[in-house]
């Protein structure tokens, strides 16, 4: 799975099934000027991994402080500010990559 920044409407609640699990949704971007910024995993799940934020700066602070849902589940450290800024700038990051024999995570790739 990769990560992408999606634009969502204010008050957006991602749909859930009867068990409370997120229902995958892909390539859904809101186009309103009041859009919020939310990180989604976009290959296998199509579900959010952060809350929605009013500004890119708020999203950046959240990721630097807490990481995304997968970072917390795996117990990995949050990404660096530089990595987060590049991710937000490009709006996408792959799950990871192999670079010089080292596996790097989604915000480093």
């Amino acid at each position: 799975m990769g990560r992408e920044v999606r634009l969502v409407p204010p008050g957006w609640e991602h749909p859930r099934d009867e068990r409370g699990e997120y229902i995958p949704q892909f390539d859904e971007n809101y186009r309103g000027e009041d859009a919020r910024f939310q990180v989604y995993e976009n290959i296998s799940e199509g579900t959010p991994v952060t809350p929605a934020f009013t500004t890119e700066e708020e999203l950046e602070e959240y990721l630097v402080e807490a990481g995304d849902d997968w970072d917390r589940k795996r117990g990995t450290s949050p990404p660096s500010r530089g990595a987060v800024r590049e991710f937000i700038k490009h709006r996408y990051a792959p799950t990871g990559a192999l670079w010089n024999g080292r596996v790097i995570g989604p915000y480093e790739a």
Side-chain angles (χ1 to χ4, degrees):
M1 90 196 109
R3 309 279 194 284
E4 70 180 346
V5 176
R6 286 194 190 169
L7 301 177
V8 298
W12 169 248
E13 291 288 331
H14 189 93
R16 295 177 184 261
D17 64 18
E18 61 280 347
R19 296 174 313 209
E21 301 290 325
Y22 287 126
I23 298 169
Q25 290 191 326
F26 298 95
D27 299 323
E28 300 287 328
N29 265 314
Y30 176 71
R31 302 283 184 225
E33 290 189 24
D34 56 350
R36 305 300 193 254
F37 301 89
Q38 188 167 24
V39 177
Y40 271 70
E41 47 190 8
N42 65 352
I43 304 247
S44 61
E45 301 294 326
T47 56
V49 293
T50 69
F53 295 92
T54 304
T55 67
E56 291 175 328
E57 292 77 16
E58 290 173 335
L59 175 59
E60 176 184 321
E61 284 304 314
Y62 180 86
L63 288 171
V64 168
E65 292 296 319
D68 65 30
D69 287 353
W70 283 107
D71 294 325
R72 288 187 300 284
K73 287 177 187 175
R74 292 183 179 130
T76 57
S77 298
S80 71
R81 186 169 302 279
V84 169
R85 284 184 177 160
E86 284 298 306
F87 166 64
I88 291 172
K89 174 181 164 185
H90 295 287
R91 299 271 199 262
Y92 174 79
T95 299
L98 185 59
W99 182 259
N100 289 333
R102 184 173 84 89
V103 176
I104 57 175
Y107 301 106
E108 301 173 273

